[in-house]
Amino acid sequence: MTSIPLSAYGAEIYFRGLAGERPALPTDPAELEALARERLEPGPFGYVAGGAGGGATMRANRAAFDEVALVPRMLRDTTARDWSTTVLGTAMPAPLLLAPVGVLSIMHTDGELAVARAAAELGVPMVLSTAASHTLEEVAQASGDGPRWYQLYWPTDDAVTASLLARARAAGYSVLVVTLDTWTLGWRPLDLDQAYLPFLRGVGTAIPFSDPAFRAGLAAAPEDDLMAAVGRWVPMFTGTALRWDRLDVLRRNWDGPIVLKGIQHPDDAVAAIEAGMDGIIVSNHGGRQVDRAVGALTTLPSIVAAVAGRVPVLFDSGVRTGADAAVALACGADAVLLGRPYVYGLGLAGADGVRHVVRSVLAELDLTLALSGYADLATLRETTDAVHRR
Ligand code: FNR
């Protein structure tokens, strides 16, 4: 059992209040987003906050949470609690990871390095995006002994894929996450209306641009001819030719667990298992890809049922609070990924902001489950009537 509950962050805030201190950032996620809108430049803020089309999928992600509710139980003694778990060999203090988010230098100059430091300090796994603004190796160094996974945007050139995966393995990333839903960018009005796409300026390209196999195909280094490098990068990461039967390329080049991200249909979850994959992430990329798509949480129970415990099922898209995370876990997710909220924390206060947001989510997750009558994940998983569907 963990001796200090994750909810101790709340007590810390109240006790500091006795000395006149207030948290530097809000704990309410809507207030956090509002502050980010106020303080950040419109381009970067829009890139993070925006979604595909009219935003219906983003709204559906949130609305899906309103369709499911916890049913708290009483007098069960949840004083001593332990939310620690191990997913695909990675131990974590609670079933929470930081979702892969690209181009974090548009939020803060330290970008992914700040996220890596905060995550490592809390023991929370970070999933590093291929679209990062720092290299795999730099982020690994900032992460130190912290748990880290690598998210691949799957290049169409197998030599580049092999090289990226070899680098990730050498730099201590233990699980490979392959994002399937973004083989090309969705239609994003906030970015279009500002003509804002950082990649075209060589921002968010640190990983491919530092890659020997990628550079081998260039007449001049990206430092000397940026547009030529961008011109090689864009089509290489626009993978229309990738299909289920190509997953063996990944398996041949990665000897650890592989997780497919962006699964939204039970048949695709089953196909992932049949293809020998080790896990899936139910996600619609935070509503950034397909507008008018189903809310991610709506799809979770049928996918959990189809998977039937054969591989871990992770979840993201729409998680804003610890209570949201608790609901996703009660619906059968093995772990939850936090996205936009930690990115706003980064934009507003660097590593301190990430730490504040993640600690807030962990604290509320702990309190929500404890007050609902649970002291560990095993009990939550055994409970068949933990949630009520409206
Ligand atoms: C993302 N996401 C994402 N996913 C991924 O696999 N690789 C990436 O590089 C990115 N980049 C990215 C940038 C920004 C600004 C956002 C907001 C999201 C998707 C991310 O991993 C996750 O699926 C969503 O953030 C979940 O939605 P919410 O909960 O943040 O709304």
Side-chain angles (χ1 to χ4, degrees):
M1 295 282 159
T2 38
S3 47
I4 303 174
L6 296 169
S7 56
Y9 190 45
E12 196 180 307
I13 291 174
Y14 289 130
F15 277 101
R16 286 194 175 160
L18 296 177
E21 260 188 68
R22 296 284 180 275
L25 297 179
T27 52
D28 179 310
E31 294 291 327
L32 185 76
E33 181 176 334
L35 196 64
R37 183 190 299 273
E38 192 184 305
R39 294 211 188 139
L40 302 176
E41 292 296 322
F45 175 77
Y47 184 73
V48 175
T57 305
M58 284 201 299
R59 291 191 295 278
N61 283 343
R62 293 298 300 143
F65 279 94
D66 292 333
E67 298 300 314
V68 190
L70 294 164
V71 184
R73 302 293 305 274
M74 298 299 128
L75 295 176
R76 288 177 157 206
D77 187 4
T78 58
T79 323
R81 305 184 289 276
D82 183 3
W83 305 117
S84 65
T85 187
T86 297
V87 180
L88 297 169
T90 301
M92 49 196 91
L96 187 87
L97 301 91
L98 301 192
V101 171
V103 228
L104 288 178
S105 63
I106 64 172
M107 288 280 109
H108 188 277
T109 45
D110 292 344
E112 295 81 9
L113 306 179
V115 175
R117 284 186 206 113
E121 204 177 291
L122 300 172
V124 170
M126 166 193 195
V127 188
L128 177 69
S129 162
T130 293
S133 23
H134 296 273
T135 68
L136 281 158
E137 294 78 9
E138 289 164 344
V139 177
Q141 200 175 15
S143 153
D145 294 335
R148 49 184 179 269
W149 294 8
Y150 175 60
Q151 176 265 322
L152 183 73
Y153 275 135
W154 191 353
T156 49
D157 181 324
D158 288 352
V160 175
T161 302
S163 179
L164 293 178
L165 298 189
R167 286 171 65 193
R169 217 51 183 132
Y173 296 82
S174 63
V175 172
L176 176 64
V177 172
V178 185
T179 299
L180 304 179
D181 56 24
T182 309
W183 51 266
T184 194
L185 282 185
W187 183 254
R188 300 179 183 171
L190 271 187
D191 297 339
L192 291 161
D193 292 350
Q194 301 186 78
Y196 184 81
L197 191 61
F199 308 107
L200 297 187
R201 299 171 196 275
V203 179
T205 53
I207 292 178
F209 285 11
S210 61
D211 190 79
F214 179 84
R215 294 170 73 100
L218 294 172
E223 303 78 52
D224 299 325
D225 189 347
L226 178 64
M227 284 329 285
V230 169
R232 176 161 157 76
W233 187 85
V234 172
M236 187 178 294
F237 287 85
T238 308
T240 51
L242 298 170
R243 299 174 69 103
W244 289 97
D245 59 5
R246 297 275 290 136
L247 289 170
D248 63 330
V249 173
L250 302 176
R251 183 53 81 200
R252 278 202 301 278
N253 287 288
W254 183 263
D255 58 4
I258 306 179
V259 174
L260 299 186
K261 177 172 184 276
I263 300 294
Q264 300 176 66
H265 192 291
D267 290 354
D268 282 352
V270 170
I273 297 170
E274 285 170 356
M277 299 293 105
D278 303 288
I280 59 165
I281 303 178
V282 174
S283 166
N284 60 27
H285 213 102
R288 299 165 69 78
Q289 287 297 93
V290 178
D291 200 17
R292 295 277 171 219
V294 59
L297 190 74
T298 305
T299 70
L300 181 62
S302 62
I303 293 176
V304 167
V307 169
R310 287 176 283 176
V311 297
V313 177
L314 284 72
F315 173 84
D316 77 30
S317 296
V319 175
R320 294 291 170 269
T321 67
D324 295 342
V327 165
L329 295 169
C331 288
D334 290 288
V336 169
L337 290 88
L338 184 68
R340 287 181 175 98
Y342 87 78
V343 180
Y344 294 136
L346 173 70
L348 289 165
D352 287 346
V354 177
R355 202 179 301 113
H356 166 76
V357 170
V358 176
R359 288 190 77 191
S360 298
V361 170
L362 287 172
E364 193 189 355
L365 173 63
D366 177 29
L367 275 180
T368 303
L369 289 176
L371 289 168
S372 299
Y374 302 100
D376 54 49
L377 289 172
T379 314
L380 179 65
R381 291 202 178 112
E382 279 158 17
T383 309
T384 51
D385 58 355
V387 292
H388 168 77
R389 280 168 217 290
R390 296 197 174 101

